[in-house]
Amino acid sequence: MGILEKISEIEKEIARTQKNKATEYHLGLLKAKLAKYRAQLLEPSKSASSKGEGFDVMKSGDARVALIGFPSVGKSTFLSLMTSTASEAASYEFTTLTCIPGVIEYKGANIQLLDLPGIIEGAAQGKGRGRQVIAVARTADVVIMMLDATKGEVQRSLLEKELESVGIRLNKHKPNIYFKPKKGGGISFNSTVTLTQCSEKLVQLILHEYKIFNAEVLFREDCSPDEFIDVIVGNRVYMPCLYVYNKIDQISMEEVDRLARKPNSVVISCGMKLNLDYLLEMLWEYLALTCIYTKKRGQRPDFTDAIILRKGASVEHVGLEDLWACGKRSHIAQLQSPLPTALHCATVSVTTRGPHSRGNCWMPPPGSPSSFM
């Protein structure tokens, strides 16, 4: 029996098993086996001669966004509208056969947008070019899931299932579980919260399925067996996702309103160029980028060239070594906290390396961009 057949049998077994206290251990073991077989399925073939032509795209810019969806939902049209890149668009399926990169210039940032070939059902099992598409999607900072508003929720649920099966977790955070394999001493299990989904026995059974007999496990939140398996496997990717419903000009206003109110969702029409500006604002928010502007002493700030930093970045990403060289220790103490709060309150003499060297590095407080001029 091949891996695909084993996966199919386990999925059927899970589907027909009732979920209750008596079956929770059995279901936990089945899910652990399923995760193992799926990991084996995604391993690259040693005999494969072609390595996914057209998918080896160098990561560039300040962030990477993967544009995924079923064939002919408007991905190529969207890429052409948002960037200067021309991607073939037509009314028939599978127009795009390779990964086509483009660049969105927004608020001083260069955002790399990848138009990936349409995912078909069964992509996680290698159908079409599913493996290559999903591999590229795992390297993105944000996923834009392009959906056809006329197809209801069918496309969304199928795509979520495909991405879930290959370890991509959309709009979820990493489980707060401490896990560390050891060389001896058995399994040490503890929790700081009341657990309603996992028990010590179930944790031990799952670990034994992975041939782990010595480990430290600490649950800091009430997690499910699936989340614990994710921690054991260790290769899961957690990323934000925007669900973009295209072709809203073909549905009723009531349906547009319903879709627009769904969490993490934006409604647009590429054909009529509707709501694209709002989509860009939402994308910027999900990327969590921060613009840092620089100025020379006694001169106005240069708002034409921003330094783009990620959420949680500290001042050392701008040039902490040079700050120390300037001897501004009192200012540096203020700037040790993450951005953007720290840079709202201080102007520091700094000689930064690279193309963004300006002299003083600062960030205008919200609502008053000229306060420090």
Side-chain angles (χ1 to χ4, degrees):
M1 184 183 293
I3 295 179
L4 286 175
E5 289 77 12
K6 290 179 181 179
I7 289 175
S8 178
E9 287 298 317
I10 294 175
E11 287 177 337
K12 290 176 182 177
E13 177 70 15
I14 292 175
R16 62 173 173 257
T17 302
Q18 292 184 348
K19 295 181 176 69
N20 52 52
K21 277 287 182 183
T23 62
E24 65 176 357
Y25 302 124
H26 178 60
L27 285 172
L29 283 175
L30 288 175
K31 290 176 179 178
K33 290 180 180 178
L34 184 61
K36 284 175 61 179
Y37 287 134
R38 282 176 172 168
Q40 292 176 25
L41 187 67
L42 291 172
E43 290 176 359
S45 175
K46 295 180 181 178
S47 61
S49 57
S50 63
K51 297 184 179 179
E53 251 183 81
F55 283 82
D56 189 16
V57 179
M58 182 180 293
K59 194 168 185 177
S60 65
D62 301 297
R64 169 178 278 193
V65 176
L67 186 60
I68 67 172
F70 281 97
S72 298
V73 293
K75 300 188 302 298
S76 297
T77 305
F78 178 76
L79 180 75
S80 301
L81 287 173
M82 306 306 289
T83 72
S84 58
T85 304
S87 181
E88 185 179 353
S91 58
Y92 53 85
E93 296 189 345
F94 300 107
T95 310
T96 303
L97 299 177
T98 62
C99 179
I100 301 176
V103 177
I104 299 175
E105 296 180 2
Y106 187 69
K107 293 187 176 180
N110 291 324
I111 303 169
Q112 186 182 46
L113 180 64
L114 301 181
D115 178 17
L116 301 177
I119 290 183
I120 62 174
E121 189 176 358
Q125 282 73 44
K127 291 184 180 179
R129 307 196 73 172
R131 289 190 189 181
Q132 295 99 318
V133 172
I134 291 170
V136 174
R138 288 175 65 93
T139 67
D141 300 300
V142 170
V143 167
I144 291 181
M145 188 181 292
M146 187 73 75
L147 304 165
D148 190 334
T150 64
K151 301 290 179 65
E153 299 301 306
V154 178
Q155 290 187 342
R156 175 169 172 170
S157 60
L158 288 174
L159 283 173
E160 286 177 333
K161 181 181 177 182
E162 293 292 327
L163 296 177
E164 185 86 10
S165 66
V166 295
I168 297 178
R169 304 292 181 256
L170 302 177
N171 298 322
K172 294 181 180 179
H173 68 276
K174 188 176 181 180
N176 194 359
I177 300 174
Y178 174 77
F179 169 70
K180 182 180 180 181
K182 300 187 300 183
K183 293 183 178 180
I187 295 174
S188 172
F189 176 84
N190 286 291
S191 65
T192 59
V193 295
T194 302
L195 301 181
T196 62
Q197 306 176 72
C198 273
S199 64
E200 184 175 357
K201 181 181 177 181
L202 179 55
V203 166
Q204 290 178 345
L205 287 172
I206 293 174
L207 288 172
H208 290 169
E209 179 63 31
Y210 281 89
K211 302 295 188 292
I212 300 173
F213 303 99
N214 304 284
E216 290 183 26
V217 180
L218 174 62
F219 278 67
R220 297 191 181 101
E221 63 179 348
D222 187 15
C223 295
S224 66
D226 296 296
E227 291 173 319
F228 180 58
I229 292 170
D230 287 348
V231 172
I232 296 173
V233 175
N235 64 349
R236 304 314 193 207
V237 178
Y238 300 85
M239 64 176 66
C241 174
L242 264 176
Y243 301 97
V244 178
Y245 292 89
N246 189 25
K247 305 180 183 179
I248 58 171
D249 53 300
Q250 301 178 22
I251 59 176
S252 65
M253 286 300 298
E254 291 77 13
E255 182 66 7
V256 171
D257 184 66
R258 186 186 71 83
L259 294 175
R261 293 179 184 276
K262 296 177 71 68
N264 310 305
S265 300
V266 179
V267 293
I268 67 167
S269 172
C270 289
M272 299 185 68
K273 301 181 181 179
L274 297 176
N275 214 29
L276 298 179
D277 290 341
Y278 177 68
L279 172 56
L280 274 180
E281 292 178 15
M282 290 293 293
L283 180 60
W284 178 264
E285 182 179 326
Y286 273 60
L287 287 169
L289 299 176
T290 301
C291 292
I292 305 297
Y293 298 97
T294 59
K295 67 184 290 290
K296 291 182 178 180
R297 191 183 301 274
Q299 297 185 14
R300 291 177 175 272
D302 180 6
F303 290 113
T304 62
D305 189 9
I307 302 173
I308 309 298
L309 296 180
R310 300 292 182 87
K311 180 181 179 181
S314 64
V315 72
E316 62 184 310
H317 292 88
V318 183
L320 184 58
E321 296 87 353
D322 294 316
L323 285 172
W324 281 104
C326 291
K328 304 294 183 179
R329 295 175 182 268
S330 59
H331 291 296
I332 292 169
Q334 293 179 321
L335 295 172
Q336 291 295 340
S337 59
L339 297 171
T341 307
L343 287 180
H344 280 165
C345 60
T347 303
V348 182
S349 295
V350 54
T351 306
T352 56
R353 298 189 182 98
H356 297 294
S357 298
R358 289 291 190 276
N360 285 359
C361 177
W362 73 296
M363 181 177 182
S368 55
S370 59
S371 300
F372 294 105
M373 288 185 183

